[in-house]
Amino acid sequence: MIEINVLMGKKGPLSIEVKGHSGYAPEGEDIVCAAVSTLMYALLLGLKEVIGICDITSEINDEIPKFSILWNEKNMSDDRTRAVIDTILKSLKYIAGAYPKYVHIVEVNKS
């Protein structure tokens, strides 16, 4: 199962971390894993290359597998940034709703 953890701050999401394989199909043929990975890459590219945010931390580890993206809360004040993050998060939630046996999302409030 793919576990998606979203760290929430006062102004909205601060990070998204994706771990695991969905198990929907064999590796290399899994449309659920492909969809989640594609959305995470779109988020990273959208924030860094389209909007131009420099203070983003990302980690991609194919062995675990794990893909995480962390951004600064001050960036949530920008409407463009908010639109990209909200679009990707809503898309991930849609996939989790369509494939509940394979994708699980948890939102955790920052202490």
Side-chain angles (χ1 to χ4, degrees):
M1 175 174 281
I2 295 174
E3 293 286 337
I4 301 173
N5 292 304
V6 181
L7 179 63
M8 300 296 290
K10 292 179 183 176
K11 296 182 181 181
L14 298 174
S15 70
I16 300 176
E17 178 184 76
V18 174
K19 284 201 252 186
H21 281 296
S22 74
Y24 180 79
E27 193 171 330
E29 300 175 18
D30 194 321
I31 61 169
V32 177
C33 280
V36 171
S37 294
T38 299
L39 287 169
M40 289 297 287
Y41 277 108
L43 176 60
L44 184 60
L45 293 171
L47 294 176
K48 279 184 131 176
E49 295 186 21
V50 175
I51 296 174
I53 298 172
C54 298
D55 57 347
I56 291 177
T57 304
S58 63
E59 178 186 355
I60 302 169
N61 185 332
D62 292 329
E63 291 178 21
I64 295 177
K66 177 182 171 185
F67 193 152
S68 61
I69 304 171
L70 171 69
W71 50 90
N72 192 309
E73 189 165 21
K74 69 179 174 134
N75 294 314
M76 293 305 291
S77 299
D78 179 20
D79 289 341
R80 298 172 309 143
T81 301
R82 186 65 183 229
V84 169
I85 293 169
D86 286 350
T87 299
I88 297 300
L89 190 52
K90 285 181 187 297
S91 299
L92 290 168
K93 287 178 179 179
Y94 179 82
I95 292 169
Y99 298 93
K101 293 180 183 178
Y102 305 99
V103 181
H104 182 248
I105 295 182
V106 175
E107 290 186 5
V108 178
N109 290 317
K110 183 179 176 184
S111 303

